[in-house]
Amino acid sequence: MSTIRNKLITAITVSSLLSVIISYLILNFTISRQYQILNRAALEARDRRIVQVFRDSYTRDSVMKWTESSGTSVIKEAQSQGFSVQLDDEYGKMVWQLPIDSIISELNAKGDSSTPVTPEQFSTNVYPVEINGEPKGYITIRQYTPLIMSSEQEKFIFNLIISVLLSSIIGSVVIVFLSFFLSRQLTDPIKSISSTSYLLSIGNLNAREDMETDIYEIEKLKQSINLLGEKLERQNVLRKRLVSDISHELRNPLNVLQTNLEAMTDGVLPMTTERLQSLNNEVVRFGKLLGNLNVLKEFESETLDVVMKPVNLKNLCQDIYNNFHGFAQEKGIILTFEHYRRDSYMILGDSHGLNQVVINLLHNALKFTPRDGKISMILKKDSSFTYLLIRDTGMGIPDEDLSNIFERFYRVDKSREEVEGSGIGLTIVKNIMERHRGKISVTSEVNKGTTFTLKFRNLPPDLDNLSFRTIGRDEI
């Protein structure tokens, strides 16, 4: 099995070789084409200069006419560059000419081409000579254009391509050597993170990754592994705490029942109505705890059936508000319900489950909000989602406990001492929200209050009569 480092080095080496081959092909085509374009541009510039020479000859000394010596100044240039020139007046009558035959003789005498030069290898361009916007003559330039490049041109292009190609090869070799160093910078952190992951997988929950790296993705991976380790360690603590809590919650009522029943059986305590009522209260509390455990089991079951249909969240909250208003007044707490009357707060859900969510959150708010406090139910929406906020001015939740409050049987230490509860209400709330594909979030500040935010997707207007059955949380 190959390592990441070997794969990286192989990939970089192959990429470098391919880049050299592609560079050669592109360079060979591009340089040849650009050379032709530059050569053509140079010839066009030369032709314009020659036309200007004839224009100057026409206007020299204010003669304003053509003479037989008008083109003598370009003869040497034409013979050296392989082109013939012919001057015609404005009526098309030839005035002066450097014959093409003499140019062919010059070219054949130089012997630059392996085959004799012929008139067919010349291209012809005709340019007017204008004076004050009127044509006073025409210049015909016939340029020798060989079918193949000369040996000097071929040598120039070849040397240029080789020099660029050689620089590409040197660069590729440097890249390959650098890849050995760079791959180590990449693979060493991954190997270290892999080792940390293995330690976590075999139960060493204290393992953390501390290798420094400047690669963003690896740094995020390192943070994720460390966060995973922290969560696993916290889950392990919660698991142990769960066993302790269940043992504590079950043992207390059983101890009370056993002690009192033994005392009454032995005649130590008289069997009175008050004592029997007290024992019955312990049985009821014991039954509530078992009932809550059964409810949690049902909600976490993959086979629990849920009927989903359109629900008016405003009406549901209004009913709950009416039921809790009197209870809040008895505790000296102000309970309010805020919403826009004209808005329709329709969502798809299970009304029984949604009732349980809102009631559980309100119960918690009432338990943890002191007298003269305030609890607000705020309903609002946007184009896609409906939001229900339940805000209180209670004791608040410490930052270190916020991430754990939805865990089974988790209770903030302060609340465990002051307020009775089983610690599974918020776990049930979260399960119901997941079945509705909703989201629940919480913000809190100690001694100032807590806000729970429920987020639901709006029901499309054309689905008001929709109703269907879902099975299990993964099928909703």
Side-chain angles (χ1 to χ4, degrees), residues 1-265:
M1 184 178 293
S2 181
T3 64
I4 294 178
R5 187 179 185 187
N6 290 339
K7 284 186 175 294
L8 282 174
I9 293 173
T10 302
I12 293 173
T13 302
V14 172
S15 299
S16 300
L17 293 175
L18 287 176
S19 67
V20 170
I21 295 173
I22 294 173
S23 298
Y24 172 77
L25 297 175
I26 294 176
L27 284 171
N28 190 35
F29 171 79
T30 303
I31 292 178
S32 299
R33 180 176 176 81
Q34 289 300 317
Y35 182 83
Q36 293 174 359
I37 293 174
L38 291 173
N39 190 45
R40 188 181 304 113
L43 293 177
E44 291 174 355
R46 182 208 61 191
D47 290 350
R48 289 193 298 271
R49 181 173 51 78
I50 291 175
V51 171
Q52 184 61 43
V53 169
F54 278 94
R55 183 183 294 111
D56 294 343
S57 174
Y58 184 84
T59 58
R60 185 179 297 118
D61 301 328
S62 300
V63 176
M64 304 297 286
K65 67 176 182 179
W66 300 114
T67 65
E68 292 182 357
S69 61
S70 295
T72 54
S73 61
V74 300
I75 292 177
K76 290 184 177 181
E77 182 180 0
Q79 289 175 340
S80 63
Q81 295 187 13
F83 65 91
S84 69
V85 184
Q86 178 178 319
L87 169 64
D88 300 326
D89 61 16
E90 63 265 37
Y91 304 108
K93 182 179 179 181
M94 187 181 70
V95 177
W96 177 86
Q97 179 186 30
L98 176 61
I100 192 173
D101 293 339
S102 63
I103 300 300
I104 292 175
S105 299
E106 288 285 343
L107 292 173
N108 286 329
K110 291 180 180 179
D112 291 335
S113 176
S114 57
T115 58
V117 178
T118 61
E120 288 76 15
Q121 294 176 282
F122 285 76
S123 61
T124 302
N125 292 303
V126 179
Y127 303 95
V129 180
E130 295 182 349
I131 307 297
N132 297 326
E134 296 182 0
K136 296 300 182 179
Y138 298 92
I139 306 299
T140 302
I141 300 177
R142 296 180 176 87
Q143 174 66 51
Y144 171 60
T145 55
L147 299 178
I148 58 175
M149 290 186 291
S150 64
S151 58
E152 288 80 5
Q153 292 172 332
E154 290 179 345
K155 186 177 181 180
F156 168 76
I157 293 176
F158 175 78
N159 290 336
L160 182 60
I161 292 175
I162 290 299
S163 62
V164 177
L165 194 60
L166 185 61
S167 64
S168 299
I169 294 174
I170 294 174
S172 298
V173 172
V174 172
I175 289 174
V176 171
F177 277 104
L178 285 176
S179 68
F180 285 90
F181 171 75
L182 295 176
S183 63
R184 185 172 182 177
Q185 300 296 311
L186 180 64
T187 57
D188 283 358
I190 294 178
K191 288 169 62 178
S192 180
I193 292 173
S194 176
S195 299
T196 303
S197 302
Y198 175 73
L199 291 175
L200 290 173
S201 69
I202 61 176
N204 184 2
L205 302 183
N206 295 320
R208 297 293 184 271
E209 180 55 52
D210 56 2
M211 173 172 277
E212 296 296 331
T213 178
D214 58 354
I215 301 175
Y216 174 78
E217 289 79 6
I218 296 181
E219 179 64 24
K220 293 291 288 184
L221 179 60
K222 183 187 81 172
Q223 295 174 3
S224 299
I225 288 295
N226 289 338
L227 181 61
L228 175 62
E230 293 173 3
K231 287 187 175 181
L232 288 174
E233 189 173 16
R234 188 162 59 244
Q235 287 294 325
N236 189 48
V237 173
L238 289 175
R239 179 179 59 81
K240 294 178 180 179
R241 184 173 178 176
L242 170 62
V243 174
S244 174
D245 285 349
I246 292 179
S247 175
H248 174 78
E249 295 290 346
L250 294 179
R251 184 175 60 249
N252 281 350
L254 288 176
N255 285 341
V256 171
L257 286 172
Q258 182 181 6
T259 302
N260 282 273
L261 287 174
E262 287 178 352
M264 285 187 287
T265 302

Side-chain angles (χ1 to χ4, degrees), residues 296 299-300 427-435 473:
L296 181 60
F299 273 102
E300 293 187 341
T427 306
I428 294 175
V429 166
K430 185 177 181 182
N431 274 274
I432 295 175
M433 290 300 296
E434 288 177 351
R435 292 185 182 279
R473 71 181 67 176

Side-chain angles (χ1 to χ4, degrees), residues 340-359:
Y340 291 102
R341 296 181 181 275
R342 296 183 180 180
D343 282 345
S344 173
Y345 299 93
M346 296 297 297
I347 65 171
L348 191 65
D350 168 38
S351 58
H352 175 73
L354 294 174
N355 260 290
Q356 195 166 359
V357 166
V358 180
I359 289 173

Side-chain angles (χ1 to χ4, degrees), residues 369-381:
T369 301
R371 192 173 186 84
D372 298 327
K374 182 178 180 180
I375 300 174
S376 302
M377 299 171 60
I378 304 170
L379 197 57
K380 57 185 180 179
K381 65 181 298 187

